[in-house]
Amino acid sequence: MPDCRIAPSLLSADFARLGDEVRSVVAAGADLIHFDVMDNHYVPNLSIGPLVCEAIRPHATVPIDVHLMVKPVDRIVPDFARAGAAIISFHPEASEHVDRTIGLIHDCGCKAGLVFNPATPLDWLDHVIDRLDLVLIMSVNPGFGGQSFIPQALPKLEAARARIDAASRRTGRRILLEIDGGVKIDNIAAIARAGADTFVAGSAIFGTPDYAATIARMRAELAAARGAS
Ligand code: DX5
Ligand code: ZN
């Protein structure tokens, strides 16, 4: 996988043509497919589940990055593993036993991520960072695509980056730092400079006519941000 990953969020895709949309965005250079699962309980919206994940799987020749916004978490984890998820991330507030849920995701053969809402402190990492494969910082409140980036996510990314680097030095393990919400061509460089290496973008990609051109412009911004650092 490249150093910086672009993960288009299917939430903003055309649901009537989901297989085509997945193939198009992969052909356009997506590194991951971000798959948002909303339950109208943990978040006030309802989206897609394991049956849809299984249906897009043959079209997704890159890993499927499942973002669970559901409560409870554990019941649905094995279903997504069977449906082809490579990474499964969840919100600590939605699980009764965060450490147990991480273990369950690993037992199902997937990589595990923990997601931090704008008001969720990073302190959860004190106890579980050595078992995580991905940390996801929300730069919007979860539930909807097309919201504006919350700037307080930038210092939070910096703090998460410091924790991840310290953990990686200690254990040699790789942990991805993902950002989700309001990522656009014009803010992706600042987000990268704050420490993110994996970038979810829904409306910024699917809202444009030429996915490849949009992803290429994002990569150019990322390359410039790297060059400047
Ligand atoms: C929000 C979802 C996001 C969303 C991002 O709850 O987790 O993945 O689709 O959409 P944009 O990029 O439009 O903010
Ligand atoms: Zn998401």
Side-chain angles (χ1 to χ4, degrees):
M1 266 201 214
D3 243 19
C4 283
R5 282 150 296 274
I6 307 272
S9 162
L10 286 188
L11 195 62
S12 292
D14 180 350
F15 278 12
R17 307 172 33 251
L18 215 42
D20 289 348
E21 291 277 67
V22 170
R23 282 200 306 277
S24 300
V25 89
V26 170
D31 301 298
L32 299 165
I33 294 292
H34 187 78
F35 192 97
D36 286 304
V37 185
M38 303 173 176
D39 68 349
N40 188 39
H41 171 68
Y42 178 64
V43 291
N45 201 358
L46 190 63
S47 63
I48 44 181
L51 295 177
V52 176
C53 187
E54 197 175 346
I56 65 147
R57 179 190 201 168
H59 306 281
T61 49
V62 298
I64 302 175
D65 169 36
V66 171
H67 174 190
L68 293 181
M69 289 162 273
V70 305
K71 185 177 183 175
V73 179
D74 293 6
R75 223 294 303 142
I76 205 82
V77 163
D79 295 9
F80 276 103
R82 277 192 295 272
I87 305 167
I88 299 179
S89 300
F90 68 99
H91 291 248
E93 301 90 342
S95 169
E96 298 293 341
H97 304 280
V98 169
D99 185 68
R100 180 179 284 158
T101 301
I102 294 168
L104 172 64
I105 293 169
H106 285 152
D107 288 349
C108 289
C110 298
K111 294 194 181 302
L114 198 61
V115 191
F116 294 82
N117 283 334
T120 303
L122 294 177
D123 297 9
W124 293 92
L125 291 176
D126 290 346
H127 311 287
V128 296
I129 194 163
D130 290 343
R131 309 222 312 132
L132 290 175
D133 304 291
L134 179 144
V135 172
L136 171 49
I137 303 295
M138 293 304 300
S139 37
V140 297
N141 284 293
F144 303 93
Q147 302 181 79
S148 299
F149 186 88
I150 296 174
Q152 287 78 13
L154 294 175
K156 197 170 187 180
L157 275 173
E158 288 172 7
R161 168 53 60 201
R163 287 178 186 242
I164 287 172
D165 287 351
S168 294
R169 276 194 298 274
R170 191 161 30 78
T171 65
R173 293 181 65 253
R174 183 175 199 203
I175 304 168
L176 300 182
L177 180 53
E178 187 172 45
I179 185 80
D180 186 2
V183 176
K184 310 281 176 207
I185 291 168
D186 63 9
N187 63 10
I188 199 167
I191 295 167
R193 282 195 296 272
D197 55 33
T198 305
F199 305 83
V200 176
S203 49
I205 293 174
F206 286 104
T208 54
D210 186 343
Y211 305 160
T214 304
I215 291 175
R217 287 183 66 191
M218 288 178 164
R219 286 203 200 285
E221 290 287 324
L222 291 172
R226 291 249 151 160
S229 67

